[in-house]
Amino acid sequence: GKVIKSNEKKYQELLEIGKKNATDFYKNNIERVSKKIFLTENSGFNELKNITNSELKIIEMYDISHIGGDAQVGAKVSYLNGKKNTKQYRKYKIKVAKKADDYGSIKEVLRRRIERMIEENEEYPNLIILDGGKGQVSTGVKVLEEFGLIDEIMLIGLAKDKDHKTESIINKDLKELK
């Protein structure tokens, strides 16, 4: 009874936090970071298309949230042609990774997502954005390599400063764009 209810409530809250974090990513970070780097008046999405030299039909963003290391969840936010694609938003309960293991959680979520895409013959995203720096990106790169998708899917991470503002973009080669 009560325990399950409170756990469900906790997961619900986490999902909301995760979705909000992942959505805030796009609004605050992509737009701001791309403008900061390229100093243009172009929209963040168009700028991103220029930077990546890609159509960017599908963008997926991943964020891992937890409450004090407990009840970890991953959230995926998806964009189709630069617009939110809420039908593709997902919550992932972390099943395998240990408490507060951010890298393990990212690995688990990305593996599950890619396995599903392969199984269901879904179109791959053009770009995956992770909330995090070099550690998160190198974890993501390993997963893409594992599935032979390293050249198919672009991957970047958004490294934050102590105030949780995006400080730089980390690319697949772990190079930092300030």
Side-chain angles (χ1 to χ4, degrees):
K2 276 188 181 154
V3 175
I4 291 170
K5 276 280 182 275
S6 82
N7 267 347
E8 274 178 21
K9 193 170 186 296
K10 198 150 97 173
Y11 275 117
Q12 213 42 52
E13 284 167 15
L14 272 172
L15 173 60
E16 290 316 311
I17 292 167
K19 275 188 189 166
K20 188 182 178 328
N21 287 350
T23 306
D24 284 352
F25 240 28
Y26 193 77
K27 287 209 295 274
N28 304 336
N29 298 315
I30 300 301
E31 195 99 7
R32 213 164 44 80
V33 168
S34 60
K35 277 186 180 158
K36 190 167 109 185
I37 294 169
F38 294 90
L39 301 171
T40 74
E41 289 309 305
N42 228 335
S43 82
F45 177 63
N46 287 329
E47 198 54 58
L48 206 51
K49 285 189 344 192
N50 295 341
I51 297 164
T52 56
N53 194 15
S54 164
E55 268 312 287
L56 294 187
K57 182 178 169 193
I58 302 170
I59 299 174
E60 291 185 354
M61 277 169 258
Y62 294 88
D63 187 36
I64 306 294
S65 298
H66 58 83
I67 298 173
D70 274 339
Q72 264 177 269
V73 293
K76 176 185 76 157
V77 173
S78 186
Y79 289 81
L80 185 60
N81 298 317
K83 305 221 179 333
K84 284 182 192 174
N85 184 10
T86 51
K87 286 200 301 275
Q88 280 293 321
Y89 282 22
R90 293 290 178 273
K91 169 184 82 169
Y92 296 86
K93 274 189 187 177
I94 306 300
K95 299 173 183 169
V96 182
K98 302 207 175 1
K99 277 187 184 182
D101 175 7
D102 211 27
Y103 303 146
S105 298
I106 285 170
K107 187 184 291 181
E108 180 178 331
V109 167
L110 285 181
R111 274 187 182 147
R112 281 161 58 187
R113 172 67 184 127
I114 292 170
E115 281 166 0
R116 162 72 54 91
M117 281 191 277
I118 291 168
E119 255 168 50
E120 305 198 352
N121 207 8
E122 281 182 58
E123 192 175 348
Y124 296 129
N126 306 96
L127 174 66
I128 288 176
I129 301 175
L130 300 176
D131 185 16
K134 291 182 178 174
Q136 283 83 352
V137 171
S138 67
T139 300
V141 163
K142 283 187 195 115
V143 174
L144 290 179
E145 283 171 341
E146 201 180 297
F147 287 95
L149 294 172
I150 195 69
D151 298 324
E152 298 279 314
I153 301 174
M154 281 181 280
L155 177 97
I156 61 171
L158 299 182
K160 304 285 200 304
D161 62 18
K162 61 184 180 348
D163 301 319
H164 213 69
K165 296 238 184 316
T166 296
E167 188 172 52
S168 58
I169 293 175
I170 311 292
N171 70 14
K172 272 197 245 187
D173 304 326
L174 303 187
K175 290 210 172 47
E176 213 169 326
L177 306 169
K178 284 245 181 234

